[in-house]
Amino acid sequence: MNKREKASSSVTIRHVAKNAGVSLGTVSRVLNGAVNLDPALRLRVEQVIKQLGYKPNPVAQTLRSRQSRVIGVMLPDIQNPLTAAAVTGLEPVLLRSGYTLFLANTHSDRERERQILEQFKRRQVDGFIAMVANDTDAETRHQLQNLSVPLVLLEREMDVDVDCVLTNQFEGTYRATRYLLGLGHRRICLITVPAVTYSGRERMRGFRTAFTDLGLEGPQDLIYSEGRQHPYGRDAAYSTLTSRSPASAIVCSGGHLAGVIEAVRLLNLQIPRDLSIVTLGDTELAALIEPPVTAIQYDWIATGRCAADLLVTQLSEGRQGERRRIVVPHEFLIRGSCAPFPNGAGSKS
C-alpha cells in the first residue's frame, strides 16, 4: 500500500462531514445517491470527498446499514440485443448511486428462475429488477410478493403491488400491422414470444385489433407464439412461406428476425419483392441487412434507465403512493423491406 492509499484509507466519513460542515447523515445520503438533496450541498460534499480521497469501506457500510449495496437483475436472455440494451441503460444509474449489479440469465426456465431468486435473497441484495419468464404464473407471483425488498418489473406486468416499466407493444404491433394492411397485404404472419408474457399478449392484441378496426378477420392460422429464440422464427417463417396459402408479409419480434431472414434465404426469396417484413424492436441486423428492415424502434436503453431510477428512488425514499406503471414511447422506422401487394407471394383472400 503506497502513502496515498494509506492516507485515503485513514479518512473516515466523520472527516468528510467535519470538513464539509454537514452531518454524518448528509454525507451518507450523498454516498447513497439520495435524490432529494440540495444540489449545492451535494456538490460541496462531493468536492470534500474528492479532496480528502475518501473511499467508503463496503464491508463496514454493509455491517452498519444492513445494506449489501447490491442489486439483482434477472433477465430471460442476455444475448437478446434488446434486453442487453436495457442493461446498458440501467447499469450506469445503479453504479452512479453506489450499487453493484449482479446479472443473472434464466434462459426462460422457471426452475432456474426460482433458484436465482432464492440465491439473491440469501445474499441479501437490496433490490431486484426482474423480467420473469412467465408473468401469469401463480408461483412466480407468490415468490415475488415475498421478496421483502424493493422490486421493479421490466417489460412484465403482474397482479402484484410493484412498479413496472413497459414498452408499448400493443401500439407498436398495431402500427406495423396497419401499415402492411394499408399496402394491401391480408395474409400477414405474426411471429412473437408466448402469451405468458406482457410482450406476447400485447403484440397479439395489437395484431388482431388492426384487422378488426378495418372490419377484417385476422388470419388466426398465421400467429406463431410458442418460441423465443431465432430457430423458432426460422421454423415458423419456413412453415408459413411453404404452405398452400403463404403469407405475403411477416411481423416478427427482434429476437426472431435472424431466423426469419434465414428462412427467406433458404427459400431463395427476395425482400420485398416476395415478402414484406416489419420487426418489433430495432436491431443492428435490421439496420444492416439489404434491404434494411422496417422496424418499430423501442428505446430499451431508456427503459432500463427508467427501471433503475424507479428502484433507486424506492431505496432512498421508500414507496410513495400507488404502484407506478411507466410506458416508454416508440418510433416507426420505415425502411426498404416492405412493398405493396401483390409482390409475388401470398394472396389477398
Side-chain angles (χ1 to χ4, degrees):
M1 182 181 291
N2 59 38
K3 291 182 179 180
R4 183 178 181 85
E5 289 174 327
K6 287 181 179 179
S8 64
S9 64
S10 65
V11 176
T12 69
I13 191 172
R14 295 183 181 277
H15 294 117
V16 175
K18 180 178 179 181
N19 280 268
V22 299
S23 67
L24 292 174
T26 298
V27 178
S28 179
R29 293 176 71 200
V30 171
L31 292 171
N32 292 334
V35 296
N36 57 342
L37 273 177
D38 177 71
L41 184 63
R42 183 192 299 276
L43 180 61
R44 186 163 85 239
V45 173
E46 289 176 342
Q47 287 176 337
V48 171
I49 289 171
K50 185 176 182 180
Q51 290 168 0
L52 296 180
Y54 172 66
K55 295 181 179 179
N57 184 326
V59 175
Q61 279 187 310
T62 298
L63 292 173
R64 286 195 301 267
S65 66
R66 296 184 181 273
Q67 290 183 322
S68 65
R69 309 301 298 175
V70 172
I71 301 300
V73 178
M74 187 174 72
L75 300 173
D77 180 11
I78 59 175
Q79 290 185 318
N80 185 310
L82 303 180
T83 50
V87 176
T88 300
L90 64 86
E91 185 175 26
V93 177
L94 297 178
L95 293 177
R96 188 167 59 247
S97 301
Y99 292 96
T100 299
L101 176 138
F102 274 9
L103 181 63
N105 187 14
T106 68
H107 302 288
S108 298
D109 181 83
R110 170 58 194 147
E111 179 58 25
R112 182 177 176 86
E113 187 175 272
R114 184 191 64 78
Q115 293 172 358
I116 288 170
L117 286 171
E118 287 300 323
Q119 288 173 4
F120 278 164
K121 282 186 69 175
R122 285 197 297 270
R123 292 177 181 272
Q124 297 182 319
V125 299
D126 291 339
F128 290 95
I129 296 174
M131 183 186 290
V132 296
N134 183 340
D135 60 13
T136 67
D137 181 65
E139 184 182 351
T140 301
R141 181 168 60 249
H142 176 75
Q143 193 173 15
L144 293 178
Q145 286 175 326
N146 289 278
L147 286 176
S148 71
V149 295
L151 165 71
V152 175
L153 289 175
L154 181 64
E155 195 64 0
R156 298 292 185 266
E157 188 167 29
M158 305 179 71
D159 186 21
V160 290
D161 185 27
V162 297
D163 295 345
C164 61
V165 182
L166 310 164
T167 56
N168 198 334
Q169 295 290 337
F170 169 81
E171 182 64 27
T173 310
Y174 180 89
R175 289 183 68 182
T177 309
R178 281 294 296 262
Y179 176 68
L180 292 168
L181 288 169
L183 291 175
H185 297 275
R186 295 296 180 265
R187 294 288 292 171
I188 303 172
C189 173
L190 174 67
I191 304 175
T192 184
V193 295
V196 296
T197 65
Y198 161 85
S199 302
R201 292 190 300 275
E202 290 296 283
R203 287 171 183 168
M204 281 186 264
R205 188 167 71 91
F207 181 75
R208 289 168 175 149
T209 303
F211 280 89
T212 57
D213 280 0
L214 292 178
L216 301 170
E217 184 176 349
Q220 299 305 310
D221 60 314
L222 294 183
I223 296 178
Y224 294 81
S225 61
E226 300 302 320
R228 303 172 190 264
Q229 305 296 332
H230 95 264
Y232 179 79
R234 176 197 62 215
D235 295 344
Y238 191 90
S239 176
T240 187
L241 293 173
T242 56
S243 68
R244 288 187 175 183
S245 183
S248 64
I250 291 178
V251 177
C252 67
S253 61
H256 291 130
L257 178 61
V260 172
I261 298 301
E262 185 178 352
V264 167
R265 290 177 175 171
L266 285 171
L267 294 169
N268 292 316
L269 301 178
Q270 291 188 24
I271 303 170
R273 189 197 68 183
D274 302 318
L275 180 73
S276 292
I277 300 177
V278 180
T279 181
L280 304 172
D282 194 24
T283 63
E284 287 187 3
L285 173 63
L288 293 176
I289 66 170
E290 185 59 41
V293 177
T294 293
I296 301 295
Q297 183 183 59
Y298 297 106
D299 192 342
W300 278 90
I301 291 179
T303 303
R305 184 167 57 242
C306 185
D309 282 335
L310 284 178
L311 187 62
V312 169
T313 300
Q314 283 190 50
L315 289 164
S316 62
E317 301 178 10
R319 282 286 299 275
Q320 304 291 326
E322 297 181 354
R323 77 181 185 111
R324 286 162 290 187
R325 180 183 188 272
I326 297 176
V327 180
V328 178
H330 64 273
E331 294 184 31
F332 191 15
L333 306 179
I334 297 177
R335 294 174 175 145
S337 64
C338 299
F341 183 90
N343 57 3
S347 75
K348 293 184 69 172
S349 60

PDB file of all heavy atoms in Angstrom, residues 175-202:
ATOM      1  N   ARG A 175     -49.477  -0.557 -35.216  1.00  0.00           N
ATOM      2  CA  ARG A 175     -48.986   0.308 -36.289  1.00  0.00           C
ATOM      3  C   ARG A 175     -48.322  -0.503 -37.394  1.00  0.00           C
ATOM      4  O   ARG A 175     -48.512  -0.227 -38.588  1.00  0.00           O
ATOM      5  CB  ARG A 175     -47.995   1.337 -35.732  1.00  0.00           C
ATOM      6  CG  ARG A 175     -48.636   2.408 -34.873  1.00  0.00           C
ATOM      7  CD  ARG A 175     -47.609   3.434 -34.430  1.00  0.00           C
ATOM      8  NE  ARG A 175     -47.114   4.242 -35.544  1.00  0.00           N
ATOM      9  CZ  ARG A 175     -46.188   5.181 -35.415  1.00  0.00           C
ATOM     10  NH1 ARG A 175     -45.635   5.411 -34.221  1.00  0.00           N
ATOM     11  NH2 ARG A 175     -45.799   5.882 -36.468  1.00  0.00           N
ATOM     12  N   ALA A 176     -47.529  -1.497 -37.011  1.00  0.00           N
ATOM     13  CA  ALA A 176     -46.852  -2.332 -38.016  1.00  0.00           C
ATOM     14  C   ALA A 176     -47.866  -3.071 -38.880  1.00  0.00           C
ATOM     15  O   ALA A 176     -47.737  -3.131 -40.112  1.00  0.00           O
ATOM     16  CB  ALA A 176     -45.926  -3.326 -37.310  1.00  0.00           C
ATOM     17  N   THR A 177     -48.888  -3.626 -38.229  1.00  0.00           N
ATOM     18  CA  THR A 177     -49.890  -4.399 -38.968  1.00  0.00           C
ATOM     19  C   THR A 177     -50.746  -3.500 -39.852  1.00  0.00           C
ATOM     20  O   THR A 177     -51.041  -3.836 -41.008  1.00  0.00           O
ATOM     21  CB  THR A 177     -50.773  -5.181 -37.983  1.00  0.00           C
ATOM     22  OG1 THR A 177     -49.934  -5.917 -37.075  1.00  0.00           O
ATOM     23  CG2 THR A 177     -51.688  -6.151 -38.712  1.00  0.00           C
ATOM     24  N   ARG A 178     -51.162  -2.355 -39.324  1.00  0.00           N
ATOM     25  CA  ARG A 178     -51.956  -1.416 -40.126  1.00  0.00           C
ATOM     26  C   ARG A 178     -51.171  -0.919 -41.328  1.00  0.00           C
ATOM     27  O   ARG A 178     -51.744  -0.699 -42.408  1.00  0.00           O
ATOM     28  CB  ARG A 178     -52.398  -0.222 -39.264  1.00  0.00           C
ATOM     29  CG  ARG A 178     -53.587  -0.487 -38.361  1.00  0.00           C
ATOM     30  CD  ARG A 178     -54.874  -0.750 -39.146  1.00  0.00           C
ATOM     31  NE  ARG A 178     -55.312   0.400 -39.914  1.00  0.00           N
ATOM     32  CZ  ARG A 178     -56.245   1.247 -39.517  1.00  0.00           C
ATOM     33  NH1 ARG A 178     -56.842   1.079 -38.336  1.00  0.00           N
ATOM     34  NH2 ARG A 178     -56.628   2.252 -40.278  1.00  0.00           N
ATOM     35  N   TYR A 179     -49.871  -0.739 -41.162  1.00  0.00           N
ATOM     36  CA  TYR A 179     -49.022  -0.306 -42.278  1.00  0.00           C
ATOM     37  C   TYR A 179     -49.058  -1.335 -43.404  1.00  0.00           C
ATOM     38  O   TYR A 179     -49.235  -0.995 -44.581  1.00  0.00           O
ATOM     39  CB  TYR A 179     -47.600  -0.101 -41.769  1.00  0.00           C
ATOM     40  CG  TYR A 179     -46.589   0.247 -42.839  1.00  0.00           C
ATOM     41  CD1 TYR A 179     -46.635   1.469 -43.513  1.00  0.00           C
ATOM     42  CD2 TYR A 179     -45.572  -0.640 -43.167  1.00  0.00           C
ATOM     43  CE1 TYR A 179     -45.700   1.789 -44.491  1.00  0.00           C
ATOM     44  CE2 TYR A 179     -44.628  -0.326 -44.136  1.00  0.00           C
ATOM     45  CZ  TYR A 179     -44.694   0.890 -44.797  1.00  0.00           C
ATOM     46  OH  TYR A 179     -43.766   1.202 -45.761  1.00  0.00           O
ATOM     47  N   LEU A 180     -48.913  -2.608 -43.036  1.00  0.00           N
ATOM     48  CA  LEU A 180     -48.941  -3.671 -44.038  1.00  0.00           C
ATOM     49  C   LEU A 180     -50.328  -3.838 -44.650  1.00  0.00           C
ATOM     50  O   LEU A 180     -50.468  -4.072 -45.855  1.00  0.00           O
ATOM     51  CB  LEU A 180     -48.473  -4.988 -43.415  1.00  0.00           C
ATOM     52  CG  LEU A 180     -46.983  -5.029 -43.032  1.00  0.00           C
ATOM     53  CD1 LEU A 180     -46.688  -6.244 -42.162  1.00  0.00           C
ATOM     54  CD2 LEU A 180     -46.100  -5.017 -44.279  1.00  0.00           C
ATOM     55  N   LEU A 181     -51.360  -3.701 -43.845  1.00  0.00           N
ATOM     56  CA  LEU A 181     -52.728  -3.747 -44.375  1.00  0.00           C
ATOM     57  C   LEU A 181     -52.960  -2.603 -45.360  1.00  0.00           C
ATOM     58  O   LEU A 181     -53.627  -2.769 -46.384  1.00  0.00           O
ATOM     59  CB  LEU A 181     -53.746  -3.673 -43.234  1.00  0.00           C
ATOM     60  CG  LEU A 181     -53.862  -4.927 -42.357  1.00  0.00           C
ATOM     61  CD1 LEU A 181     -54.687  -4.627 -41.104  1.00  0.00           C
ATOM     62  CD2 LEU A 181     -54.499  -6.077 -43.146  1.00  0.00           C
ATOM     63  N   GLY A 182     -52.395  -1.448 -45.050  1.00  0.00           N
ATOM     64  CA  GLY A 182     -52.520  -0.303 -45.948  1.00  0.00           C
ATOM     65  C   GLY A 182     -51.818  -0.522 -47.277  1.00  0.00           C
ATOM     66  O   GLY A 182     -52.180   0.098 -48.291  1.00  0.00           O
ATOM     67  N   LEU A 183     -50.829  -1.406 -47.282  1.00  0.00           N
ATOM     68  CA  LEU A 183     -50.133  -1.755 -48.528  1.00  0.00           C
ATOM     69  C   LEU A 183     -50.859  -2.855 -49.301  1.00  0.00           C
ATOM     70  O   LEU A 183     -50.398  -3.279 -50.369  1.00  0.00           O
ATOM     71  CB  LEU A 183     -48.698  -2.200 -48.218  1.00  0.00           C
ATOM     72  CG  LEU A 183     -47.740  -1.118 -47.710  1.00  0.00           C
ATOM     73  CD1 LEU A 183     -46.395  -1.730 -47.320  1.00  0.00           C
ATOM     74  CD2 LEU A 183     -47.530  -0.027 -48.765  1.00  0.00           C
ATOM     75  N   GLY A 184     -51.985  -3.313 -48.774  1.00  0.00           N
ATOM     76  CA  GLY A 184     -52.788  -4.302 -49.475  1.00  0.00           C
ATOM     77  C   GLY A 184     -52.607  -5.733 -49.019  1.00  0.00           C
ATOM     78  O   GLY A 184     -53.277  -6.646 -49.513  1.00  0.00           O
ATOM     79  N   HIS A 185     -51.711  -5.966 -48.052  1.00  0.00           N
ATOM     80  CA  HIS A 185     -51.485  -7.327 -47.571  1.00  0.00           C
ATOM     81  C   HIS A 185     -52.647  -7.779 -46.689  1.00  0.00           C
ATOM     82  O   HIS A 185     -53.204  -6.987 -45.912  1.00  0.00           O
ATOM     83  CB  HIS A 185     -50.177  -7.403 -46.778  1.00  0.00           C
ATOM     84  CG  HIS A 185     -48.961  -7.100 -47.592  1.00  0.00           C
ATOM     85  ND1 HIS A 185     -48.319  -8.047 -48.350  1.00  0.00           N
ATOM     86  CD2 HIS A 185     -48.280  -5.933 -47.780  1.00  0.00           C
ATOM     87  CE1 HIS A 185     -47.281  -7.498 -48.960  1.00  0.00           C
ATOM     88  NE2 HIS A 185     -47.241  -6.202 -48.635  1.00  0.00           N
ATOM     89  N   ARG A 186     -53.014  -9.048 -46.817  1.00  0.00           N
ATOM     90  CA  ARG A 186     -54.039  -9.629 -45.957  1.00  0.00           C
ATOM     91  C   ARG A 186     -53.514 -10.888 -45.266  1.00  0.00           C
ATOM     92  O   ARG A 186     -53.878 -11.162 -44.135  1.00  0.00           O
ATOM     93  CB  ARG A 186     -55.308  -9.958 -46.764  1.00  0.00           C
ATOM     94  CG  ARG A 186     -55.998  -8.718 -47.335  1.00  0.00           C
ATOM     95  CD  ARG A 186     -56.502  -7.801 -46.240  1.00  0.00           C
ATOM     96  NE  ARG A 186     -57.166  -6.612 -46.778  1.00  0.00           N
ATOM     97  CZ  ARG A 186     -56.574  -5.449 -46.971  1.00  0.00           C
ATOM     98  NH1 ARG A 186     -55.282  -5.306 -46.710  1.00  0.00           N
ATOM     99  NH2 ARG A 186     -57.260  -4.423 -47.448  1.00  0.00           N
ATOM    100  N   ARG A 187     -52.692 -11.654 -45.980  1.00  0.00           N
ATOM    101  CA  ARG A 187     -52.067 -12.826 -45.364  1.00  0.00           C
ATOM    102  C   ARG A 187     -50.794 -12.361 -44.653  1.00  0.00           C
ATOM    103  O   ARG A 187     -49.672 -12.499 -45.156  1.00  0.00           O
ATOM    104  CB  ARG A 187     -51.762 -13.885 -46.421  1.00  0.00           C
ATOM    105  CG  ARG A 187     -52.983 -14.510 -47.075  1.00  0.00           C
ATOM    106  CD  ARG A 187     -53.701 -15.449 -46.115  1.00  0.00           C
ATOM    107  NE  ARG A 187     -52.905 -16.642 -45.832  1.00  0.00           N
ATOM    108  CZ  ARG A 187     -53.225 -17.535 -44.897  1.00  0.00           C
ATOM    109  NH1 ARG A 187     -54.305 -17.339 -44.130  1.00  0.00           N
ATOM    110  NH2 ARG A 187     -52.464 -18.595 -44.713  1.00  0.00           N
ATOM    111  N   ILE A 188     -50.992 -11.814 -43.459  1.00  0.00           N
ATOM    112  CA  ILE A 188     -49.885 -11.290 -42.662  1.00  0.00           C
ATOM    113  C   ILE A 188     -49.622 -12.254 -41.512  1.00  0.00           C
ATOM    114  O   ILE A 188     -50.539 -12.629 -40.783  1.00  0.00           O
ATOM    115  CB  ILE A 188     -50.205  -9.887 -42.108  1.00  0.00           C
ATOM    116  CG1 ILE A 188     -50.541  -8.924 -43.256  1.00  0.00           C
ATOM    117  CG2 ILE A 188     -49.035  -9.352 -41.290  1.00  0.00           C
ATOM    118  CD1 ILE A 188     -51.047  -7.577 -42.786  1.00  0.00           C
ATOM    119  N   CYS A 189     -48.387 -12.650 -41.356  1.00  0.00           N
ATOM    120  CA  CYS A 189     -47.986 -13.587 -40.309  1.00  0.00           C
ATOM    121  C   CYS A 189     -47.375 -12.826 -39.134  1.00  0.00           C
ATOM    122  O   CYS A 189     -46.587 -11.897 -39.333  1.00  0.00           O
ATOM    123  CB  CYS A 189     -46.966 -14.578 -40.869  1.00  0.00           C
ATOM    124  SG  CYS A 189     -46.226 -15.683 -39.666  1.00  0.00           S
ATOM    125  N   LEU A 190     -47.742 -13.220 -37.911  1.00  0.00           N
ATOM    126  CA  LEU A 190     -47.138 -12.669 -36.694  1.00  0.00           C
ATOM    127  C   LEU A 190     -46.309 -13.755 -36.027  1.00  0.00           C
ATOM    128  O   LEU A 190     -46.816 -14.830 -35.714  1.00  0.00           O
ATOM    129  CB  LEU A 190     -48.216 -12.176 -35.729  1.00  0.00           C
ATOM    130  CG  LEU A 190     -47.698 -11.709 -34.350  1.00  0.00           C
ATOM    131  CD1 LEU A 190     -46.843 -10.449 -34.494  1.00  0.00           C
ATOM    132  CD2 LEU A 190     -48.863 -11.469 -33.386  1.00  0.00           C
ATOM    133  N   ILE A 191     -45.024 -13.462 -35.806  1.00  0.00           N
ATOM    134  CA  ILE A 191     -44.139 -14.381 -35.087  1.00  0.00           C
ATOM    135  C   ILE A 191     -43.660 -13.656 -33.834  1.00  0.00           C
ATOM    136  O   ILE A 191     -42.960 -12.640 -33.919  1.00  0.00           O
ATOM    137  CB  ILE A 191     -42.942 -14.816 -35.949  1.00  0.00           C
ATOM    138  CG1 ILE A 191     -43.425 -15.451 -37.263  1.00  0.00           C
ATOM    139  CG2 ILE A 191     -42.058 -15.803 -35.181  1.00  0.00           C
ATOM    140  CD1 ILE A 191     -42.312 -15.793 -38.234  1.00  0.00           C
ATOM    141  N   THR A 192     -44.063 -14.168 -32.681  1.00  0.00           N
ATOM    142  CA  THR A 192     -43.792 -13.451 -31.447  1.00  0.00           C
ATOM    143  C   THR A 192     -43.511 -14.423 -30.307  1.00  0.00           C
ATOM    144  O   THR A 192     -43.537 -15.649 -30.485  1.00  0.00           O
ATOM    145  CB  THR A 192     -44.973 -12.530 -31.091  1.00  0.00           C
ATOM    146  OG1 THR A 192     -44.648 -11.762 -29.921  1.00  0.00           O
ATOM    147  CG2 THR A 192     -46.241 -13.326 -30.817  1.00  0.00           C
ATOM    148  N   VAL A 193     -43.257 -13.866 -29.129  1.00  0.00           N
ATOM    149  CA  VAL A 193     -43.000 -14.679 -27.934  1.00  0.00           C
ATOM    150  C   VAL A 193     -44.324 -15.148 -27.342  1.00  0.00           C
ATOM    151  O   VAL A 193     -45.389 -14.634 -27.701  1.00  0.00           O
ATOM    152  CB  VAL A 193     -42.195 -13.871 -26.897  1.00  0.00           C
ATOM    153  CG1 VAL A 193     -40.816 -13.535 -27.443  1.00  0.00           C
ATOM    154  CG2 VAL A 193     -42.931 -12.585 -26.504  1.00  0.00           C
ATOM    155  N   PRO A 194     -44.301 -16.129 -26.444  1.00  0.00           N
ATOM    156  CA  PRO A 194     -45.546 -16.682 -25.904  1.00  0.00           C
ATOM    157  C   PRO A 194     -46.402 -15.662 -25.162  1.00  0.00           C
ATOM    158  O   PRO A 194     -45.914 -14.653 -24.652  1.00  0.00           O
ATOM    159  CB  PRO A 194     -45.053 -17.778 -24.951  1.00  0.00           C
ATOM    160  CG  PRO A 194     -43.713 -18.174 -25.484  1.00  0.00           C
ATOM    161  CD  PRO A 194     -43.115 -16.901 -26.013  1.00  0.00           C
ATOM    162  N   ALA A 195     -47.694 -15.960 -25.088  1.00  0.00           N
ATOM    163  CA  ALA A 195     -48.661 -15.077 -24.432  1.00  0.00           C
ATOM    164  C   ALA A 195     -48.566 -15.111 -22.910  1.00  0.00           C
ATOM    165  O   ALA A 195     -49.336 -14.431 -22.234  1.00  0.00           O
ATOM    166  CB  ALA A 195     -50.082 -15.437 -24.861  1.00  0.00           C
ATOM    167  N   VAL A 196     -47.625 -15.879 -22.361  1.00  0.00           N
ATOM    168  CA  VAL A 196     -47.428 -15.891 -20.909  1.00  0.00           C
ATOM    169  C   VAL A 196     -46.580 -14.699 -20.470  1.00  0.00           C
ATOM    170  O   VAL A 196     -46.216 -14.585 -19.297  1.00  0.00           O
ATOM    171  CB  VAL A 196     -46.762 -17.196 -20.437  1.00  0.00           C
ATOM    172  CG1 VAL A 196     -47.674 -18.385 -20.709  1.00  0.00           C
ATOM    173  CG2 VAL A 196     -45.395 -17.394 -21.086  1.00  0.00           C
ATOM    174  N   THR A 197     -46.263 -13.809 -21.417  1.00  0.00           N
ATOM    175  CA  THR A 197     -45.569 -12.570 -21.082  1.00  0.00           C
ATOM    176  C   THR A 197     -46.379 -11.382 -21.595  1.00  0.00           C
ATOM    177  O   THR A 197     -47.155 -11.506 -22.551  1.00  0.00           O
ATOM    178  CB  THR A 197     -44.163 -12.503 -21.716  1.00  0.00           C
ATOM    179  OG1 THR A 197     -44.292 -12.467 -23.143  1.00  0.00           O
ATOM    180  CG2 THR A 197     -43.327 -13.706 -21.319  1.00  0.00           C
ATOM    181  N   TYR A 198     -46.152 -10.244 -20.962  1.00  0.00           N
ATOM    182  CA  TYR A 198     -46.794  -8.995 -21.383  1.00  0.00           C
ATOM    183  C   TYR A 198     -46.551  -8.737 -22.866  1.00  0.00           C
ATOM    184  O   TYR A 198     -47.484  -8.399 -23.613  1.00  0.00           O
ATOM    185  CB  TYR A 198     -46.245  -7.844 -20.534  1.00  0.00           C
ATOM    186  CG  TYR A 198     -46.452  -6.468 -21.124  1.00  0.00           C
ATOM    187  CD1 TYR A 198     -47.640  -5.778 -20.918  1.00  0.00           C
ATOM    188  CD2 TYR A 198     -45.452  -5.860 -21.884  1.00  0.00           C
ATOM    189  CE1 TYR A 198     -47.838  -4.522 -21.463  1.00  0.00           C
ATOM    190  CE2 TYR A 198     -45.644  -4.598 -22.432  1.00  0.00           C
ATOM    191  CZ  TYR A 198     -46.831  -3.934 -22.217  1.00  0.00           C
ATOM    192  OH  TYR A 198     -47.014  -2.689 -22.775  1.00  0.00           O
ATOM    193  N   SER A 199     -45.306  -8.913 -23.317  1.00  0.00           N
ATOM    194  CA  SER A 199     -44.967  -8.631 -24.715  1.00  0.00           C
ATOM    195  C   SER A 199     -45.795  -9.481 -25.667  1.00  0.00           C
ATOM    196  O   SER A 199     -46.350  -8.985 -26.654  1.00  0.00           O
ATOM    197  CB  SER A 199     -43.476  -8.883 -24.966  1.00  0.00           C
ATOM    198  OG  SER A 199     -42.671  -8.098 -24.128  1.00  0.00           O
ATOM    199  N   GLY A 200     -45.863 -10.790 -25.397  1.00  0.00           N
ATOM    200  CA  GLY A 200     -46.615 -11.682 -26.269  1.00  0.00           C
ATOM    201  C   GLY A 200     -48.091 -11.348 -26.319  1.00  0.00           C
ATOM    202  O   GLY A 200     -48.701 -11.307 -27.391  1.00  0.00           O
ATOM    203  N   ARG A 201     -48.688 -11.091 -25.159  1.00  0.00           N
ATOM    204  CA  ARG A 201     -50.122 -10.768 -25.105  1.00  0.00           C
ATOM    205  C   ARG A 201     -50.439  -9.475 -25.838  1.00  0.00           C
ATOM    206  O   ARG A 201     -51.398  -9.400 -26.618  1.00  0.00           O
ATOM    207  CB  ARG A 201     -50.581 -10.635 -23.650  1.00  0.00           C
ATOM    208  CG  ARG A 201     -50.571 -11.925 -22.871  1.00  0.00           C
ATOM    209  CD  ARG A 201     -51.269 -11.754 -21.535  1.00  0.00           C
ATOM    210  NE  ARG A 201     -50.657 -10.736 -20.687  1.00  0.00           N
ATOM    211  CZ  ARG A 201     -49.627 -10.950 -19.884  1.00  0.00           C
ATOM    212  NH1 ARG A 201     -49.058 -12.157 -19.844  1.00  0.00           N
ATOM    213  NH2 ARG A 201     -49.145  -9.997 -19.117  1.00  0.00           N
ATOM    214  N   GLU A 202     -49.637  -8.450 -25.606  1.00  0.00           N
ATOM    215  CA  GLU A 202     -49.918  -7.150 -26.204  1.00  0.00           C
ATOM    216  C   GLU A 202     -49.681  -7.146 -27.708  1.00  0.00           C
ATOM    217  O   GLU A 202     -50.396  -6.471 -28.451  1.00  0.00           O
ATOM    218  CB  GLU A 202     -49.070  -6.070 -25.526  1.00  0.00           C
ATOM    219  CG  GLU A 202     -49.486  -5.766 -24.105  1.00  0.00           C
ATOM    220  CD  GLU A 202     -50.899  -5.194 -24.049  1.00  0.00           C
ATOM    221  OE1 GLU A 202     -51.073  -4.003 -24.358  1.00  0.00           O
ATOM    222  OE2 GLU A 202     -51.838  -5.959 -23.719  1.00  0.00           O
TER     223      GLU A 202
END
